[in-house]
Amino acid sequence: MLKIVIEDSNKLYRNGFELFLENLFYHVENSSIEVESLTKQNVLQADIIVKEFNAGAQFICHPALKFRRRPGLIIGVYDDKKNPHHNGLPLCIKDTIFISRSESLHSVSEKISIAWKDVKANPVISTGSKCLQCKYRTLTPQQILIAKSLLRGNDIFSISKQLSINIKTASSHKRLMMNKFGLKNDCELLMFLKSFKKSNHPIYLFDN
């Protein structure tokens, strides 16, 4: 039995994807599957990890994926038209296969089948010991302060007053954050910051 863990806020897509994987691996592997929501505990022993990738997530560290104890497949699900794969992916997700929610079932089936065969032929575990060599992107101390305030619902004018900085400086930091993580608008920025707060180290920087 294959262990599959999933993290996806789109419940309708997730339910359909579970059924799709059950059917796929019955034919490809002649195996049944066991599906759970992704946690820091069960991700360690998962054969397949399905993870939602909001805009910007392809540039940051994903602590839950660092210390996997067995070779496996990571499937990244994204909404945007542009595939999030790039040459500088963080080490913990460098072998991820990305699929779009709008992609055809035939295309998704082919991608997963090929990737699964590769995993079985070349069982490599990505370990956290290599993290010092990783070039994932993060926020500067000033950007963290601005991010905290944005997450509280404050606008740039309020943030500039709170931090006693020029409004142009606050706007510049916000723009730099968006450029750094390939974000196109305020909605993507807020979604990214929520994801960053939830999953990226050091989490304590976002406390309070």
Side-chain angles (χ1 to χ4, degrees):
M1 179 177 287
L2 297 177
K3 295 182 181 296
I4 300 178
V5 296
I6 298 181
E7 179 186 85
D8 197 323
S9 60
N10 187 323
K11 292 183 179 180
L12 184 63
Y13 184 88
R14 171 184 167 149
N15 291 340
F17 202 67
E18 285 183 24
L19 293 173
F20 167 77
L21 291 175
E22 183 177 14
N23 181 64
L24 176 64
F25 283 103
Y26 176 78
H27 290 92
V28 170
E29 193 75 13
N30 193 26
S31 175
S32 58
I33 65 172
E34 178 183 50
V35 182
E36 296 180 348
S37 294
L38 187 155
T39 68
K40 291 180 181 179
Q41 288 72 41
N42 63 22
V43 75
L44 300 177
Q45 299 292 346
D47 296 298
I48 298 168
I49 299 164
V50 181
K51 194 173 189 312
E52 178 179 41
F53 273 74
N54 292 322
Q58 69 272 29
F59 296 109
I60 65 173
C61 170
H62 296 269
L65 305 182
K66 285 183 183 180
F67 303 105
R68 289 180 292 135
R69 294 173 186 160
R70 64 196 299 176
L73 177 64
I74 302 177
I75 302 171
V77 180
Y78 67 98
D79 283 306
D80 207 352
K81 293 180 180 179
K82 185 179 178 182
N83 190 315
H85 184 274
H86 61 91
N87 291 332
L89 284 174
L91 295 177
C92 55
I93 58 168
K94 68 182 181 66
D95 296 321
T96 299
I97 62 160
F98 290 98
I99 61 172
S100 168
R101 294 193 195 278
S102 60
E103 204 163 337
S104 71
L105 289 178
H106 175 72
S107 173
V108 173
S109 180
E110 279 199 336
K111 279 186 180 180
I112 295 176
S113 297
I114 292 170
W116 180 246
K117 288 177 183 176
D118 287 344
V119 166
K120 293 190 70 179
N122 304 286
V124 178
I125 302 177
S126 178
T127 63
S129 61
K130 298 180 181 178
C131 288
L132 290 177
Q133 306 165 27
C134 189
K135 295 183 178 179
Y136 64 87
R137 301 178 190 179
T138 188
L139 298 172
T140 66
Q142 185 76 299
Q143 289 169 354
I144 288 170
L145 293 176
I146 292 172
K148 284 182 179 181
S149 202
L150 286 170
L151 284 170
R152 294 189 192 107
N154 295 313
D155 59 22
I156 287 297
F157 180 76
S158 300
I159 292 170
S160 65
K161 290 183 67 176
Q162 288 171 4
L163 300 181
S164 299
I165 58 177
N166 188 287
I167 190 169
K168 289 185 179 179
T169 302
S171 296
S172 177
H173 279 297
K174 179 184 172 186
R175 186 170 61 252
L176 286 170
M177 279 193 283
M178 295 178 72
N179 290 341
K180 184 186 291 186
F181 299 103
L183 308 172
K184 294 179 292 190
N185 51 52
D186 287 355
C187 180
E188 285 192 352
L189 175 60
L190 287 174
M191 287 181 67
F192 167 76
L193 291 177
K194 288 176 183 177
S195 175
F196 189 93
K197 176 181 178 180
K198 178 182 176 183
S199 66
N200 201 46
H201 286 309
I203 295 173
Y204 72 87
L205 290 172
F206 274 103
D207 289 347
N208 303 323

